[in-house]
Amino acid sequence: MPAPEEASTSTAAPTTFKSLGLIDPLLEAISQLNYTVPTEIQTAALPHALEGRDIIGVASTGSGKTAAFALPILQKLWEDPKGLFACVLAPTRELAYQISQQFESLGSAMGVRCATIVGGMDMMSQSVALAKRPHIVVATPGRLQDHLENTKGFSLRSLQFLVLDEADRLLDMDFGPIIDKILKVIPQNRTTYLFSATMTTKVAKLQRASLSNPVRVEVSENQSARLGALGKFKSGGRRVLVATDVASRGLDIPHVDVVINYDIPTHSKDYIHRVGRTARAGRSGKSVTLVSQYDVELLQRIETVLGKKMEQWPTDAEEIALLRERVDEASRVAVHEMKDQARSGHGRKRAREEGGGKDDRDRDDDTVEAGMPKKKSKGRR
């Protein structure tokens, strides 16, 4: 199979949604959502997607990738509306609901109908939703396979589009065998979009099995900022690193004393990877997880995998109150600094635009240096 064609992300690419070739109903929805200019991944992916090409998109959460695959699907649906049109596979329930909401928002002028099919919800009500012939199904792989096997009259035989979102996480969560089954019951003559934050060996194998002559679009927005933040933390220039799961693997920083899980991971393996950032090479270290009443089931799953009960961290109300004052003050300082940086960045952007240059974005959604935000109703373990 030939290597995927690399898409150009040069400054000559269109810079407005209209110039990218989107139709008026989508432009109207984009305007109502206050989207002003396309993100880098949208600018790179949309022209090829609107030509009908399969797409490999390498982009992180927060890059605008959902609209990058939703907009071309909705445009094709407007041109040829019929039955179940697209299926999006997502690794978690939360992401599936977010994707459905974005499809419905972007397709509001078109009357698009979505069904969200995820685990932990009533199968019968989902079967009723599928019987109403939605245009878009957004699903976690396991529950979608349950419906394919058990819901009478439901199939993906007329599917026009398949999207594999956050493919690296799908495969990390061992959905590979289920995805293989789903690929066998959908039309080969379809358009496929695969989006992933990283191109692992497993993702590359899935790409070869599911895409046909794809175009690869990759954005490394604020990668330099991410590497700069990591470099400062590793060298001791910064004492705190706040990051998403992008930092849970592949980092060997020897002097990490504490890992704090602000949000408990939904997958036990992610927890193991996160806490593995501390106590490297035989050193000591601690892992603290903030747990609310809504996280008990996830905590119990992790304990089952670990084969041990987590120790409850003792707390003192007076000590917490004193620390709260310091945290509040640090938060106020951080907010002022961020506002100053935003004003400075806006000024540089205006200067570049007036001078005809390209905006070098300073924003980094995955790794930032900042004070810890407050979280209500949390115990500590």
Side-chain angles (χ1 to χ4, degrees):
M1 180 177 179
E5 178 184 331
E6 296 285 346
S8 171
T9 57
S10 68
T11 56
T15 55
T16 68
F17 285 107
K18 185 172 183 178
S19 64
L20 286 170
L22 294 175
I23 56 177
D24 288 340
L26 294 178
L27 293 174
E28 178 184 336
I30 288 168
S31 177
Q32 290 176 351
L33 292 170
N34 294 320
Y35 293 176
T36 53
V37 294
T39 66
E40 190 174 355
I41 188 65
Q42 293 162 6
T43 300
L46 282 171
H48 301 286
L50 292 173
E51 290 175 356
R53 298 290 298 275
D54 282 9
I55 301 291
I56 301 171
V58 184
S60 61
T61 300
S63 61
K65 61 183 174 62
T66 303
F69 61 73
L71 288 168
I73 289 174
L74 291 170
Q75 181 138 325
K76 294 294 183 182
L77 177 63
W78 177 265
E79 295 170 358
D80 186 19
K82 56 181 179 183
L84 177 54
F85 199 74
C87 177
V88 183
L89 297 182
T92 65
R93 300 177 222 175
E94 294 79 12
L95 181 58
Y97 281 113
Q98 290 173 24
I99 293 170
S100 287
Q101 289 168 1
Q102 189 140 17
F103 264 103
E104 289 174 349
S105 297
L106 291 170
S108 58
M110 303 166 51
V112 69
R113 300 190 305 276
C114 294
T116 308
I117 307 299
V118 297
M121 305 300 287
D122 179 56
M123 283 277 289
M124 184 58 68
S125 60
Q126 292 179 353
S127 298
V128 171
L130 292 172
K132 293 180 179 178
R133 298 176 62 82
H135 300 111
I136 314 291
V137 168
V138 184
T140 49
R143 180 51 63 93
L144 180 65
Q145 183 63 22
D146 285 344
H147 281 286
L148 286 170
E149 293 177 349
N150 301 306
T151 298
K152 186 176 180 180
F154 173 64
S155 77
L156 299 174
R157 288 192 293 268
S158 64
L159 197 69
Q160 302 294 308
F161 285 86
L162 173 69
V163 181
L164 302 164
D165 194 20
E166 299 203 1
D168 47 354
R169 293 184 66 195
L170 283 170
L171 297 175
D172 282 343
M173 295 171 71
D174 299 325
F175 283 129
I178 297 176
I179 293 173
D180 289 340
K181 290 181 180 179
I182 294 171
L183 290 174
K184 291 177 181 177
V185 297
I186 61 177
Q188 290 188 348
N189 185 24
R190 66 174 189 275
T191 302
T192 305
Y193 302 147
L194 182 152
F195 282 80
S196 181
T198 57
M199 283 301 295
T200 63
T201 303
K202 288 182 179 179
V203 174
K205 183 178 179 181
L206 177 61
Q207 168 241 307
R208 290 192 293 271
S210 58
L211 280 76
S212 174
N213 190 27
V215 175
R216 175 168 172 157
V217 293
E218 183 169 2
V219 297
S220 55
E221 183 180 347
N222 310 304
Q223 180 65 14
S224 59
R226 182 183 300 128
L227 292 174
L230 288 172
K232 290 176 184 176
F233 183 66
K234 191 170 185 177
S235 67
R238 292 290 186 274
R239 297 180 62 190
V240 177
L241 179 73
V242 182
T244 65
D245 273 333
V246 73
S248 67
R249 305 186 187 198
L251 300 182
D252 188 9
I253 303 174
H255 301 291
V256 178
D257 298 316
V258 181
V259 169
I260 299 176
N261 291 297
Y262 178 66
D263 282 318
I264 192 165
T266 56
H267 196 256
S268 302
K269 287 183 180 179
D270 290 338
Y271 173 85
I272 295 170
H273 287 300
R274 286 188 193 182
V275 302
R277 298 309 97 200
T278 189
R280 308 289 286 177
R283 295 181 176 88
S284 62
K286 289 185 175 66
S287 169
V288 179
T289 300
L290 306 183
V291 182
S292 74
Q293 65 269 37
Y294 305 108
D295 302 320
V296 173
E297 182 181 353
L298 293 172
L299 177 69
Q300 291 172 340
R301 288 182 196 170
I302 292 171
E303 289 177 333
T304 300
V305 170
L306 295 178
K308 61 179 291 187
K309 283 283 186 182
M310 290 194 196
E311 166 186 0
Q312 184 167 352
W313 189 276
T315 59
D316 181 89
E318 291 184 5
E319 182 184 6
I320 291 173
L322 290 173
L323 290 172
R324 174 74 176 270
E325 293 178 8
R326 292 172 57 188
V327 170
D328 288 344
E329 178 59 27
S331 296
R332 284 192 290 270
V333 171
V335 167
H336 286 304
E337 288 181 354
M338 291 171 69
K339 286 182 178 178
D340 289 342
Q341 290 175 2
R343 291 191 199 102
S344 176
H346 181 67
R348 290 195 301 270
K349 180 178 178 180
R350 286 191 62 185
R352 278 191 293 268
E353 289 175 346
E354 290 170 3
K358 185 182 179 183
D359 175 20
D360 295 320
R361 299 175 184 175
D362 297 322
R363 178 173 168 270
D364 181 34
D365 287 319
D366 294 294
T367 305
V368 295
E369 298 161 70
M372 284 293 290
K374 293 180 290 184
K375 193 164 190 174
K376 296 180 180 178
S377 304
K378 282 281 185 177
R380 295 189 293 174
R381 292 183 80 92

